[in-house]
Amino acid sequence: METTKPAPASSGNFIKQIVIDDLKTGKVSEVVTRFPPEPNGYLHIGHAKSICLNFELADEFGGRTHLRFDDTNPVKEDTEYVQSIQEDVKWLGFEWEKLFFASDFFEEMYERALVLIKKGKAYVCDLTAEQIRETRGTLTAPGEDSPYRNRSVEENLDLFERMRKGEFANGEKVLRAKIDMASPNVNLRDPVLYRIAHATHHNTGDKWCIYPMYDYAHPLEDAIEGITHSICTLEFADHRPLYDWVIRECEMACVPQQYEFGRLNVTNTVMSKRKLKLLVDEQVVDGWDDPRMPTISGLRRKGYTPEAIREFCREIGVVKSNNSTVDEKLLEHFIREDLKLKAPRTMAVLQPLKVVITNYPEGQVEQLDAEINPENEAMGIRQIPFSREIYIEQDDFMEEPVKGYHRLYPGNEVRLKHAYFIKCEDVVKDADGRVVELHCTYDPETKSGSGFTGRKVKGTLHWVEASQAKPAEFRLYEPLILDESAGESDDFLSNLNPNSLQTLQGFVEENMNGAEAQDKFQFFRHGYFNVDSKHSGAEKLVFNRIVSLKSSFDPKK
Ligand code: ATP
Ligand code: MG
């Protein structure tokens, strides 16, 4: 599959050019944008693109941005989602000027529908949803007029009022716009404006049993709030004539303009609330904020920072022409960049193997100096204990080394980061023949920082002093979906990666005792890790790997 190369950050975006022109010609005197999520799930990285676009556009021109819950569907919406969406937008670093619920405008929307009916621009139709679909025509054939299309204004007013009062069952009647059943744009073939849904709404309770459709509600919400630039994704481009029709025929004072941009997709994951909810409901993941999820809350729990996500959104740019699928490695690139100078470096052993240094004095513990971040000297130095017993990584030892293996094996000498050279002298095995302990010797002359140049070794290992080591759990992640683009299909559940989570029990340096939820570190040779906000505690630290150290991805290529 082709993934889209990111647009250079300097190229700006085409919507920004429209705003500049509109301000110059006086078409608008200020910029008002909105981010209008439907509260039917948690926000994902695709929404982040829309959030950054709307808020940054208004910010740049001294305008304002509203957060609006597009809550016109009573069945799928929930206050849990309303809460999480606000938290995520704030966490990304944005402040809305005003907060609205589309449902606050239901009364005005109803009044505007009466305006349409009185003008002969809307009618109550008794066709079923299926009949409406069947009479809609196709791209090449016109639709058929509904037998109810020519009801009188009086009859329509009466029926619509009775729809509101609850006299009819779900699906028995709808209100339709009277536009043109032969329009080449299928969206203009008498679209449904209101439907009946006897359901309790999270905000309005049981006050309403008729609910406006998106294509009717959205333009009115924009106009009522005084939005100047209404930015949405490409699939709404064909709805734009209907958007303009609603604003015009409902005689709204404010005339917002809709602009469309390409949706963001990321490889090896799913990007729709509906599909993400399925992963949660089927318990494929441990909730919406599972670190494998592309949700804002999942990325946060994994250890992403708002800065990295914002930079990512800037880099991918805003293109008009197509939806773009971006390689997830680009997202990883930005978190590495962000944490490079910020995250303290420490050592962690993920799969421990005990090493006894037989010539080191028993009972002695010395403190060694180690930089906290060699790329950022201002972070200073820390002290790490060293003694006769340490842990190293199991795969840093091979009893029978393969060619080119420079780490520990019987008779070989390696460097311990920040400490000494050690040499493997002996191997201890359990009854099954598994190596459970190594006996090594160390050379006091080779102490790190002593300027020792006597001889060289090829391997440098990380380690943790055993008596003070702090137990820790490490969670390593792989993409949720095996195939790059399988997340875009409805059959994505059959393409799940069985190894998306690997859990290991090991140790971290003793000085990480005070590590708190969401603290971020670079573990030498392993990558960047974040203290898990749900499961980490005083007795055992739990770390999520954010990203490994190296990437094959070069965004400049
Ligand atoms: P989903 O299918 O994930 O539910 P949606 O478009 O239905 O997405 P909304 O809650 O209606 O979600 O979206 C709020 C805003 O976020 C809309 O303006 C929408 O266009 C934008 N948005 C949603 N998904 C993406 C995406 N993948 N890339 C860019 N913008 C997106
Ligand atoms: Mg939606």
Side-chain angles (χ1 to χ4, degrees):
M1 188 193 54
E2 287 252 342
T3 51
T4 312
K5 289 239 169 68
S10 55
S11 71
N13 71 58
F14 77 96
I15 298 176
K16 181 165 152 187
Q17 195 53 52
I18 291 170
V19 168
I20 292 171
D21 293 345
D22 286 353
L23 287 166
K24 210 188 298 173
T25 60
K27 185 174 171 190
V28 300
S29 57
E30 59 170 349
V31 182
V32 188
T33 59
R34 87 285 174 266
F35 173 63
E38 186 182 352
N40 61 345
Y42 281 58
L43 298 181
H44 52 61
I45 182 79
H47 292 112
K49 177 175 173 181
S50 173
I51 293 169
C52 291
L53 175 60
N54 279 295
F55 279 89
E56 290 180 356
L57 199 63
D59 272 359
E60 190 170 344
F61 299 97
R64 51 205 161 82
T65 304
H66 299 168
L67 174 62
R68 178 204 310 149
F69 289 103
D70 209 339
D71 57 349
T72 53
N73 182 352
V75 184
K76 293 188 186 154
E77 297 159 0
D78 199 285
T79 39
E80 176 194 349
Y81 303 137
V82 170
Q83 294 300 326
S84 74
I85 288 170
Q86 295 185 51
E87 187 183 340
D88 289 350
V89 174
K90 281 189 213 153
W91 178 77
L92 278 174
F94 299 108
E95 272 175 55
W96 50 87
E97 179 90 15
K98 288 183 180 158
L99 175 71
F100 291 104
F101 288 87
S103 53
D104 293 338
F105 309 142
F106 280 171
E107 191 64 46
E108 170 143 18
M109 291 177 189
Y110 180 82
E111 296 296 325
R112 297 287 165 174
L114 297 180
V115 170
L116 291 180
I117 294 172
K118 287 177 191 159
K119 288 162 75 171
K121 297 281 182 181
Y123 61 98
V124 173
C125 182
D126 299 2
L127 295 182
T128 63
E130 199 182 333
Q131 288 169 324
I132 290 177
R133 222 177 3 256
E134 282 167 0
T135 53
R136 230 173 136 214
T138 63
L139 289 176
T140 48
E144 288 165 44
D145 283 1
S146 159
Y148 306 99
R149 198 170 198 261
N150 293 316
R151 274 178 165 153
S152 68
V153 169
E154 289 67 37
E155 190 181 3
N156 282 321
L157 285 173
D158 174 58
L159 288 173
F160 189 50
E161 196 189 334
R162 287 165 57 196
M163 279 169 67
R164 176 183 182 164
K165 281 188 182 150
E167 290 186 22
F168 308 110
N170 290 356
E172 213 179 314
K173 288 188 167 34
V174 292
L175 184 74
R176 293 176 74 176
K178 192 170 177 178
I179 309 180
D180 179 5
M181 287 306 290
S183 171
N185 184 335
V186 179
N187 295 300
L188 295 178
R189 294 183 188 168
D190 292 8
V192 174
L193 305 180
Y194 270 92
R195 68 202 165 97
I196 299 171
H198 292 274
T200 303
H201 186 278
H202 79 99
N203 188 28
T204 56
D206 294 322
K207 180 165 183 217
W208 293 89
C209 63
I210 55 171
Y211 290 93
M213 304 300 288
Y214 178 90
D215 280 333
Y216 175 69
H218 206 87
L220 294 184
E221 294 156 18
D222 286 343
I224 294 167
E225 290 180 25
I227 302 301
T228 56
H229 298 79
S230 174
I231 304 167
C232 63
T233 41
L234 273 184
E235 67 272 23
F236 292 102
D238 288 345
H239 298 234
R240 198 204 280 204
L242 178 54
Y243 182 99
D244 293 339
W245 184 92
V246 171
I247 300 276
R248 189 174 64 245
E249 296 300 342
C250 289
E251 300 171 14
M252 304 307 289
C254 165
V255 181
Q257 295 286 316
Q258 174 181 305
Y259 299 97
E260 309 88 21
F261 72 102
R263 257 182 127 76
L264 165 69
N265 286 313
V266 175
T267 54
N268 299 87
T269 190
V270 295
M271 194 71 76
S272 118
K273 282 175 282 179
R274 181 177 59 82
K275 291 180 185 169
L276 294 170
K277 184 166 189 311
L278 209 59
L279 291 171
V280 175
D281 292 345
E282 298 286 315
Q283 299 182 358
V284 173
V285 294
D286 156 37
W288 286 94
D289 67 349
D290 185 298
R292 290 167 290 182
M293 295 279 269
T295 50
I296 308 287
S297 52
L299 292 167
R300 172 168 64 232
R301 194 170 146 208
K302 193 174 188 184
Y304 272 84
T305 58
E307 291 82 356
I309 295 176
R310 291 200 305 261
E311 279 303 313
F312 168 78
C313 291
R314 283 182 199 127
E315 177 74 21
I316 56 180
V318 180
V319 289
K320 192 192 184 100
S321 51
N322 59 318
N323 295 335
S324 60
T325 298
V326 175
D327 197 315
E328 58 166 354
K329 295 195 177 73
L330 183 64
L331 191 54
E332 296 180 345
H333 165 79
F334 283 104
I335 189 64
R336 282 194 196 93
E337 283 297 300
D338 187 39
L339 293 181
K340 194 166 64 183
L341 301 183
K342 287 185 195 166
R345 314 280 169 100
T346 71
M347 294 194 285
V349 173
L350 276 50
Q351 291 177 288
L353 172 62
K354 180 162 280 180
V355 173
V356 179
I357 298 163
T358 51
N359 61 339
Y360 195 88
E362 248 173 281
Q364 177 176 313
V365 181
E366 69 179 299
Q367 295 294 330
L368 301 171
D369 287 344
E371 309 111 320
I372 292 176
N373 187 337
E375 291 184 73
N376 182 1
E377 278 178 22
M379 291 178 80
I381 56 163
R382 69 186 191 281
Q383 299 242 293
I384 48 176
F386 183 80
S387 78
R388 190 179 154 88
E389 293 194 359
I390 62 170
Y391 294 112
I392 65 165
E393 217 61 70
Q394 282 168 21
D395 65 7
D396 279 337
F397 172 78
M398 276 185 105
E399 194 171 12
E400 289 166 34
V402 294
K403 196 163 174 286
Y405 188 82
H406 299 303
R407 294 173 256 170
L408 214 48
Y409 53 86
N412 192 41
E413 191 174 44
V414 297
R415 176 197 311 275
L416 291 179
K417 181 77 177 168
H418 303 302
Y420 301 94
F421 289 9
I422 57 167
K423 186 173 174 184
C424 179
E425 309 284 358
D426 203 4
V427 173
V428 181
K429 295 182 183 176
D430 66 9
D432 300 324
R434 271 191 303 251
V435 176
V436 289
E437 197 174 289
L438 302 180
H439 288 173
C440 295
T441 51
Y442 88 116
D443 179 353
E445 298 290 303
T446 59
K447 186 170 177 176
S448 174
S450 68
F452 175 79
T453 53
R455 60 188 183 279
K456 289 204 157 71
V457 288
K458 281 193 169 154
T460 298
L461 311 188
H462 62 275
W463 54 277
V464 170
E465 195 278 328
S467 69
Q468 299 182 27
K470 174 109 186 126
E473 178 173 308
F474 305 94
R475 299 181 178 183
L476 311 186
Y477 300 102
E478 280 183 20
L480 263 177
I481 310 281
L482 280 173
D483 188 76
E484 269 194 357
S485 54
E488 287 164 38
S489 103
D490 263 346
D491 184 34
F492 66 97
L493 283 177
S494 65
N495 261 296
L496 294 176
N497 177 1
N499 302 317
S500 58
L501 168 64
Q502 187 191 5
T503 303
L504 300 173
Q505 308 296 335
F507 298 99
V508 291
E509 290 178 18
E510 156 288 327
N511 59 32
M512 295 194 59
N513 251 324
E516 286 178 10
Q518 296 296 109
D519 283 351
K520 292 159 187 60
F521 301 91
Q522 187 196 108
F523 293 153
F524 184 63
R525 294 169 77 213
H526 282 304
Y528 292 99
F529 285 72
N530 183 47
V531 180
D532 187 80
S533 52
K534 263 193 184 164
H535 300 297
S536 195
E539 53 313 321
K540 185 166 83 179
L541 292 164
V542 176
F543 293 93
N544 295 314
R545 180 152 74 187
I546 313 169
V547 67
S548 62
L549 284 181
K550 283 209 195 67
S551 156
S552 52
F553 187 76
D554 179 359
K556 282 169 214 87
K557 258 204 228 144

